[in-house]
Amino acid sequence: MTTPAVSVATSRNPATDELIATYAFQTAEQIESLLVENNAAFRLWRATPMSERVVAYRRLSAILRERTESLAGIITAEMGKTLAAARGEVEKCAATLDWIADNGPAILADEPVSVENDDRVHVSYLPVGSILAVMPWNFPLWQVIRASGPIMLSGNGFILKHAPNVMGSAYALQDAYESAGFPAGLFANLITDNDTVARVIEDDRVAAVTLTGSMRAGSAVASIAGKALKKSLLELGGSDAFIVLADANIELAVKAAVEARFQNAGQVCLAAKRFILEKPVAEEFTQKFIAAVRQLKIGDPLDPLTNVGPMARKDLREELHQQVERTLAAGATLLLGGKKIEGSGNFYEPTVLGNVTPGMAAFDEETFGPVAAITIADNVEHAILLANTSDYGLGGNLWTSDLTRAQRIARRLETGGVFINGFSATNARIPVGGVKKSGYGRELSHFGLREFTNAQAVWAKTID
């Protein structure tokens, strides 16, 4: 590998514009050492009994809870999430590790298979090696745990290429893993440019790659992995429809809609982004939705009264504003907001756009920020058509009092998941995959515990 151009990853507080830290890109020699160490740690870890791996997971879960305040502070400082939401993210990580420790061993256990002729057959789920994970900044701990938890319990090594603006979070996680007693180098941070990431994917010591990010990044990673004949698992963008039918409970739908669109300043792949309203309730929902959005407090994410913090980076705010302006220029109506907030930080007004139709930026593209697009449907069939008129297929929401009809409609929505009358806590074993251009490889259940394993079948012939 050649040495990457001298550069750094930069962490900057999005609420104040203050520089937090810079992290120098690793040299070719440092990356080589990382790969050697991670591969050696993998060989040690795969030979570690499952019972000992589980003990390490329980220690890691406890450490995350013990460090909740410091970890939440890092999240808020680096990407602007409210402190309350950051604490919730840490707890979600700990709870996920608990679930993996409780359920993972049974999911990964050998499975006997009944066959004829008294042969004994079993299927084993064996680790494949060092896995490279390219992760996003919007959930800087949770996205990593969601990947590293299943990948590492199954015996693999984990190499994290995190977003450059949240490297403090990346190193905080590495320290937590090491403090929990995982082998040195098993969880490793890679800091480099995209060209070098491509060469790491091609390296024979990297068995597979997973990415959560944009369609552009996913396409590039999948292309490199495919050429190298390596598995890739992608979760990409989303432009989820939030369908409100004429028989819906409007009060509950509005309350859920505000949370679904504006949590984390709208920077969520699975967030509701396109609000498709059946005509008889469109006016009522819109007015109540706007009134509720007006009540959101924008500001310092450390303030416990704040609902919406800053966007993570200035370039992302500028991109979002351009999408709003292009949507308005195409004929949409500005119902609320629509402006960058002047002063320090990357704040953007919670925005509601009306009369949004296919062909407009806010309908066709992913709007990764606090912008809601409202579209009117003539009837149920029209609502389904509008929901499916998208390159994306991550998730969707459906509001109606007729659950029998809702089940039929859900099967016609081209998404990896559908939430009827609200988003509730889900069992980690339930798949949340993406279809169309929202990704592939996450269609299986078991929370990814078998996704990076080799399913090895062993036949044992009975001899008299």
Side-chain angles (χ1 to χ4, degrees):
M1 296 180 185
T2 59
T3 303
V6 176
S7 191
V8 297
T10 301
S11 176
R12 188 178 295 276
N13 190 317
T16 64
D17 295 329
E18 293 175 331
L19 178 66
I20 298 172
T22 58
Y23 303 84
F25 282 7
Q26 291 157 335
T27 65
E29 292 76 16
Q30 289 172 324
I31 294 173
E32 173 65 20
S33 177
L34 181 154
L35 291 171
V36 169
E37 187 176 15
N38 186 262
N39 205 247
F42 150 66
R43 297 183 187 283
L44 174 64
W45 183 244
R46 74 174 178 183
T48 302
M50 179 61 73
S51 60
E52 294 182 23
R53 295 182 205 168
V54 167
V55 169
Y57 268 65
R58 298 201 188 283
R59 285 196 299 260
L60 178 58
S61 173
I63 286 170
L64 293 185
R65 288 192 171 99
E66 290 168 2
R67 300 179 182 181
T68 293
E69 290 306 309
S70 62
L71 292 170
I74 294 170
I75 293 171
T76 297
E78 287 195 313
M79 56 76 55
K81 181 173 299 185
T82 65
L83 192 58
R87 290 181 182 126
E89 181 174 340
V90 177
E91 173 55 31
K92 185 174 184 180
C93 291
T96 296
L97 292 169
D98 289 339
W99 190 94
I100 292 172
D102 290 340
N103 298 277
I107 294 170
L108 292 167
D110 288 356
E111 291 185 349
V113 180
S114 298
V115 294
E116 298 176 356
N117 302 322
D118 294 323
D119 288 1
R120 288 179 292 175
V121 181
H122 71 267
V123 177
S124 297
Y125 297 94
L126 306 177
V128 295
S130 297
I131 311 299
L132 174 65
V134 182
M135 292 288 108
W137 47 262
N138 59 332
F139 289 88
L141 265 58
W142 159 244
Q143 290 284 10
V144 178
I145 291 295
R146 182 182 60 77
S148 64
I151 285 171
M152 294 172 68
L153 187 78
S154 57
N156 296 298
F158 189 81
I159 301 171
L160 172 63
K161 167 58 177 73
H162 217 330
N165 57 322
V166 291
M167 286 309 304
S169 297
Y171 278 108
L173 270 179
Q174 180 176 328
D175 182 71
Y177 268 98
E178 292 174 355
S179 298
F182 286 77
L186 187 68
F187 181 108
N189 277 305
L190 174 69
I191 316 175
T192 191
D193 58 15
N194 291 337
D195 289 341
T196 304
V197 169
R199 292 194 289 275
V200 171
I201 294 172
E202 294 168 346
D203 193 287
D204 288 342
R205 289 163 294 189
V206 172
V209 60
T210 180
L211 173 142
T212 298
S214 67
M215 287 194 302
R216 176 190 56 78
S219 177
V221 164
S223 176
I224 299 164
K227 186 176 180 181
L229 294 178
K230 296 180 181 180
K231 179 174 181 176
S232 60
L233 184 154
L234 309 177
E235 181 200 327
L236 306 178
S239 187
D240 289 8
F242 189 103
I243 303 170
V244 182
L245 300 183
D247 62 346
N249 183 316
I250 300 302
E251 299 293 336
L252 291 180
V254 166
K255 182 178 179 180
V258 174
E259 175 69 15
R261 173 66 282 204
F262 296 103
Q263 63 169 317
N264 205 24
Q267 301 167 123
V268 182
C269 297
L270 202 61
K273 298 182 176 77
R274 296 177 298 139
F275 293 82
I276 298 173
L277 315 177
E278 197 174 4
K279 190 174 292 183
V281 293
E283 181 65 23
E284 179 186 0
F285 179 93
T286 300
Q287 293 306 315
K288 290 181 177 179
F289 182 64
I290 291 172
V293 175
R294 287 186 190 276
Q295 299 303 310
L296 295 175
K297 180 180 178 181
I298 312 155
D300 182 1
L302 294 173
D303 184 341
L305 298 179
T306 295
N307 304 116
V308 181
M311 294 184 63
R313 300 197 312 260
K314 273 190 165 47
D315 62 308
L316 299 173
R317 182 178 70 166
E318 187 59 37
E319 180 181 346
L320 181 74
H321 187 59
Q322 291 176 5
Q323 289 174 308
V324 169
E325 291 191 322
R326 286 190 285 119
T327 302
L328 294 174
T333 304
L334 181 63
L335 301 178
L336 184 69
K339 295 185 181 66
K340 294 177 283 187
I341 297 176
E342 299 300 325
S344 62
N346 311 328
F347 294 93
Y348 196 85
E349 294 180 340
T351 297
V352 182
L353 305 175
N355 299 317
V356 177
T357 58
M360 297 181 181
F363 191 97
D364 293 350
E365 302 171 12
E366 180 177 29
T367 50
F368 213 64
V371 173
I374 291 180
T375 301
I376 309 302
D378 295 333
N379 49 46
V380 175
E381 289 299 316
H382 189 207
I384 295 170
L385 175 64
L386 288 167
N388 290 339
T389 304
S390 175
D391 286 339
Y392 297 97
L394 193 55
N397 292 264
L398 176 61
W399 286 80
T400 173
S401 60
D402 188 340
L403 293 183
T404 300
R405 180 177 64 163
Q407 295 288 347
R408 294 196 300 268
I409 293 172
R411 295 178 69 87
R412 297 175 59 191
L413 297 177
E414 298 167 356
T415 69
V418 179
F419 302 95
I420 299 172
N421 294 336
F423 186 96
S424 60
T426 59
N427 186 304
R429 194 164 181 167
I430 298 174
V432 184
V435 299
K436 297 183 177 179
K437 294 182 179 179
S438 283
Y440 64 85
R442 287 186 62 202
E443 297 81 10
L444 300 176
S445 61
H446 310 304
F447 197 60
L449 284 157
R450 294 178 179 172
E451 284 168 342
F452 287 107
T453 63
N454 169 33
Q456 181 191 67
V458 176
W459 286 263
K461 183 70 175 178
T462 300
I463 300 176
D464 295 330

